[in-house]
Amino acid sequence: MIRVGILGAAGYTGGELIRVLTGHKFSEIVFANSESNAGNAVADVHGGLLGDTELRFTDAMPFDAVDVAFFCFGHGKSEAFLREHSVPAGVRIIDLAQDFRLAAPGNDFVYGLPETHRKQVAAAMHVANPGCFATCIQLALLPAAKMGLLTADVMVNAITGSTGAGQKPGATTHFSWRVDNLSIYKAFSHQHVPEIRQSLTEVQGKPCAAIDFIPYRGNFARGIFATAVVRTEAAIEDIVDGYKAFYADEPFTHYSDKPIDMKQVVNTNKCLVHCDKHGDKLLVTACIDNLLKGAVGQAVQNMNIMFGIDETEGLRLKASAF
């Protein structure tokens, strides 16, 4: 049994992680840490878990009682936490923040995108879980990078649900502002672009072109839908064959011969990808659930890989039929 500790357990990712792990046959949640909710029932904060768990939040962090700790902190807090606290060397860490995603001297965190780093994750003690936009956009473009197609600037547009902004209320997450609305933020400067380029460059074997990324806030709760335009003279038949070959053995990332829509992946750990060709423009569409394949689903997938069990355990979640 894998003994799990969760830090930052009261937020959206913490609650979703608890939901996934309650259906995981080979894990046990030892503690769910939240200083502001210590003593409160988890189901009182994450109402969808009523009847599924009797777990209570705690302000304690008994690392000596767990095998793996999930960091569900906001960005910048994981690095600060590790400076101020000692985690035993034998405890694996899966960090969902952006603090350790970029390769740097002294950074021993493995980048946790299973489709490209499965062997490294299996041997890792510390894993940096990819960002939600980064996951969707990388999975849209990695086969193109493998085929050496990313030689000119790539235009990417992607829209995300409000849960991507976290649980803390803000001016752009308030329901009355978000509903029936659409807006751009961090155009060309989103924090996920460096990790996207890092992975694409690694797979392509040489620096990829610029990623011109325009993110959008959507008026829905969860999901990401991304489009990427790549200039190439390659034939669509060869491109599709390349995409299918790249994802042939992946349990959660699938190439679709038909156009895709976001509802096919919401509440699942899947990523769907589809390609169209318009003259010399390759249009790639991809979609994920930002809280699952874009966050805790992928984190649990990484945990499964790290502990040598079936990486799909606890993650065969089904999309709604309607």
Side-chain angles (χ1 to χ4, degrees):
M1 190 66 69
I2 303 168
R3 300 170 301 164
V4 175
I6 303 172
L7 287 81
Y12 286 145
T13 54
E16 194 74 349
L17 180 58
I18 294 168
R19 180 176 79 90
V20 171
L21 291 178
T22 56
H24 192 289
K25 291 188 295 186
F26 304 113
S27 71
E28 173 192 6
I29 301 174
V30 173
F31 71 85
N33 176 271
S34 171
E35 291 185 2
S36 60
N37 284 282
N40 293 333
V42 163
D44 284 346
V45 175
H46 303 301
L49 294 173
L50 183 63
D52 294 326
T53 180
E54 299 298 320
L55 191 68
R56 289 185 175 272
F57 293 110
T58 178
D59 56 4
M61 296 179 290
F63 288 117
D64 58 346
V66 301
D67 303 303
V68 60
F70 289 87
F71 289 5
C72 298
F73 296 136
H75 300 312
K77 294 184 178 180
S78 297
E79 187 175 13
F81 180 88
L82 288 175
R83 284 198 305 267
E84 298 167 4
H85 299 82
S86 178
V87 178
V91 176
R92 291 175 170 86
I93 296 172
I94 301 175
D95 180 31
L96 278 78
Q98 69 181 31
D99 301 30
F100 301 105
R101 291 172 186 163
L102 298 181
N107 179 10
D108 70 343
F109 278 71
V110 168
Y111 190 67
L113 190 72
E115 289 79 1
T116 55
H117 291 80
R118 186 172 277 107
K119 289 182 179 179
Q120 296 94 320
V121 169
M125 288 301 297
H126 301 153
V127 167
N129 217 56
C132 52
F133 270 135
T135 295
C136 191
I137 294 166
Q138 286 176 83
L139 294 176
L141 292 173
L142 281 166
K146 182 71 172 179
M147 289 182 274
L149 302 182
L150 306 184
T151 57
D153 289 6
V154 180
M155 187 67 221
V156 177
N157 293 274
I159 185 168
T160 187
S162 57
T163 52
Q167 193 175 44
K168 187 177 180 179
T172 59
T173 60
H174 196 283
F175 176 80
S176 61
W177 184 89
R178 197 100 179 196
V179 71
D180 298 326
N181 199 8
L182 191 66
S183 64
I184 288 173
Y185 70 110
K186 297 183 180 178
F188 304 109
S189 61
H190 195 277
Q191 65 271 17
H192 289 181
V193 171
E195 65 179 283
I196 294 169
R197 296 196 75 248
Q198 175 178 264
S199 294
L200 295 177
T201 295
E202 181 180 340
V203 169
Q204 187 160 268
K206 58 183 179 181
C208 71
I211 305 296
D212 296 329
F213 176 34
I214 311 274
Y216 296 82
R217 302 180 183 94
N219 63 345
F220 48 90
R222 58 195 298 163
I224 292 176
F225 190 91
T227 61
V229 178
V230 178
R231 294 275 186 173
T232 178
E233 298 294 340
I236 185 62
E237 295 81 7
D238 295 335
I239 292 170
V240 169
D241 287 346
Y243 269 75
K244 288 183 176 180
F246 195 93
Y247 292 127
D249 299 321
E250 293 301 328
F252 295 115
T253 302
H254 309 289
Y255 182 84
S256 173
D257 288 317
K258 299 178 180 179
I260 59 177
D261 59 76
M262 196 178 68
K263 201 166 188 178
Q264 291 174 270
V265 299
V266 170
N267 291 318
T268 81
N269 197 50
K270 291 190 292 186
C271 174
L272 298 184
V273 183
H274 175 73
C275 295
D276 285 307
K277 193 82 185 300
H278 303 268
D280 68 343
K281 294 185 285 292
L282 170 66
L283 173 63
V284 186
T285 53
C287 54
I288 64 170
D289 184 309
N290 59 292
L291 289 177
L292 286 167
K293 185 58 174 167
V296 304
Q298 186 154 244
V300 171
Q301 186 179 355
N302 282 323
M303 180 191 77
N304 292 342
I305 294 169
M306 294 168 83
F307 286 90
I309 63 176
D310 179 357
E311 69 184 83
T312 70
E313 173 58 38
L315 295 169
R316 287 299 188 188
L317 309 167
K318 302 296 189 295
S320 171
F322 303 101

